[in-house]
Each structure stands twice: as structure tokens, then as C-alpha cells.
């Protein structure tokens, strides 16, 4: 499985001459010889139905939306919902959002916004007129999350501990000040309408999510 002409869009392409048509055993399941593109589909199906996959995805979702250390009982229920529904992520997410753990006081505002979320929500809350995004993208990079620069395939962490440190918090404050003072290239804020209300500084964009 590969992509065709990456510089021209990179659409999916199955390269038959590169495919191993021999018999294979994946996760204890034998895939007979002579197959082609469908071999990859079989492997994906096997992976998707693994209990380990169900638990991994459930924990990732709970870490993203509930807390950095989600309750084991919630992850267990989400895992079972995944297995019961044959991997229906909508059902898993619905269970999570309706759970008592999601609405628990200790989970409220327990997550810190990532740099990308922080910058985007700050610009939105301040109703910034963004004419080009390069300036904001540079800010995201300075805050520790340069776009498309994460070498590992796992991507940036969903945990708050990666973003909560003295330099990161100071950098966020500096960005908020620069945004309100129209010192971020490509983004202009009409600060006059916020002088009396303090809406920019009191906005949830500058708080925990």
C-alpha cells in the first residue's frame, strides 16, 4: 500500500509488484497465499477487533476529554462498549460524555489547552481579524507545538504536563499581551471594545479547558 505521486496529491495506490503474495499469519490468523490489496484490509480488521486496540483507543479518548489519568472504571466501560458495538466510536464517545466521571467536579477544567488550541481559541475569543496565519503558527511553535514537526508518529501528547511549565506559561501570557496589543503579524484585534468589560482577559480562551 503506498501513495501515487506524493507531490501531486498522493492518492492511495496498491503496487501489486511490491506485494508479498505468500501465506501470512497475523495475530494468530492465517491469511492464505495469493491475495492482493485485500490482505491489508484483513490485517486492519484484525487489529481493529483486538481487545488491546479497544483499550488503547478508549484510554486515549478518555485522556483527551476527561483527565490526564482517566478513571480505570471509565476506561473499562468504554473498552467494553467498543467490543460490544464492533468498534463503534460514536457509541464509545457517547458513553464517555454521559458518564459520571466526565461530569465529576475533579474532571472540570482539569485539562490544559495545547498550544494550538490555546492560540486558536484566543484568536477566536478576541474576534481577531486574521489576514494570514503565519504569525499565529509561529506562536504555536514557540509555545512548543510546531505544526507538522513532530517526528514520532504518535504525535503530540494529550497530557497537560507537557504544556505546564514556567517558560510555557510565561510564553502564553506574552502571546495574550501581544495579541491584545496587535503585535502578532497577520492578526488584528479591536481592543477598544474590550476595555470596559475585560472580556479578552477574562475569556475562557486564557483559562484551562
Amino acid at each position: 500500500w503506498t501513495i501515487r505521486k506524493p507531490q501531486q496529491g498522493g492518492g492511495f495506490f496498491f503496487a501489486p509488484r511490491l506485494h508479498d503474495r505468500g501465506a501470512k499469519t497475523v495475530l494468530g490468523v492465517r491469511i492464505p497465499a495469493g491475495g492482493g490489496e485485500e490482505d491489508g484490509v484483513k490485517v486492519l480488521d484484525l487489529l481493529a477487533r483486538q481487545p488491546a486496540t479497544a483499550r488503547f483507543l478508549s484510554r486515549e479518548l478518555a485522556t483527551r476529554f476527561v483527565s490526564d489519568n482517566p478513571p480505570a472504571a471509565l476506561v473499562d466501560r468504554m473498552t467494553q462498549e467498543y467490543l460490544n458495538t464492533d468498534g463503534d466510536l460514536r457509541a464509545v464517545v457517547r458513553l464517555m460524555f454521559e458518564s459520571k466521571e466526565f461530569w465529576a467536579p475533579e474532571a472540570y477544567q482539569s485539562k490544559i489547552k495545547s498550544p494550538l488550541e490555546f492560540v486558536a481559541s484566543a484568536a477566536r475569543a478576541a474576534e481577531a481579524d486574521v489576514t494570514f496565519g503565519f504569525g499565529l503558527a509561529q506562536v504555536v511553535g514557540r509555545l512548543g507545538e510546531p505544526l507538522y514537526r513532530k517526528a514520532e508518529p504518535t504525535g503530540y501528547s494529550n497530557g497537560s504536563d507537557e504544556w505546564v511549565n514556567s517558560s510555557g506559561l510565561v510564553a502564553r501570557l506574552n502571546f495574550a499581551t501581544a495579541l491584545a496589543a496587535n503585535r502578532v503579524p497577520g492578526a488584528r484585534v479591536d481592543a477598544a471594545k474590550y476595555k470596559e468589560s475585560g472580556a479578552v482577559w477574562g475569556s475562557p480562551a486564557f483559562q484551562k479547558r
Side-chain angles (χ1 to χ4, degrees), residues 148-205:
Y148 313 113
R149 295 287 297 279
K150 187 66 172 176
E152 299 83 2
T154 50
Y156 291 103
S157 171
N158 272 324
S160 301
D161 55 351
E162 186 165 328
W163 315 121
V164 180
N165 53 70
S166 56
S167 61
L169 294 176
V170 169
R172 290 182 182 224
L173 179 60
N174 289 339
F175 161 66
T177 303
L179 179 66
N182 288 314
R183 295 199 305 268
V184 177
R188 182 162 187 80
V189 172
D190 182 6
K193 61 183 177 182
Y194 298 114
K195 283 184 178 179
E196 297 300 325
S197 66
V200 172
W201 304 110
S203 165

Side-chain angles (χ1 to χ4, degrees), residues 80-124:
Q80 194 57 52
E81 184 73 5
Y82 180 102
L83 296 172
N84 291 344
T85 61
D86 197 29
D88 186 344
L89 290 178
R90 180 177 295 181
V92 175
V93 171
R94 181 184 298 113
L95 183 151
M96 177 184 66
F97 286 155
E98 293 177 351
S99 70
K100 63 180 185 297
E101 291 88 349
F102 179 82
W103 295 100
E106 57 269 24
Y108 180 66
Q109 291 191 337
S110 66
K111 297 289 294 182
I112 300 295
K113 292 181 180 181
S114 70
L116 176 60
E117 293 170 327
F118 177 75
V119 170
S121 60
R124 182 171 59 246

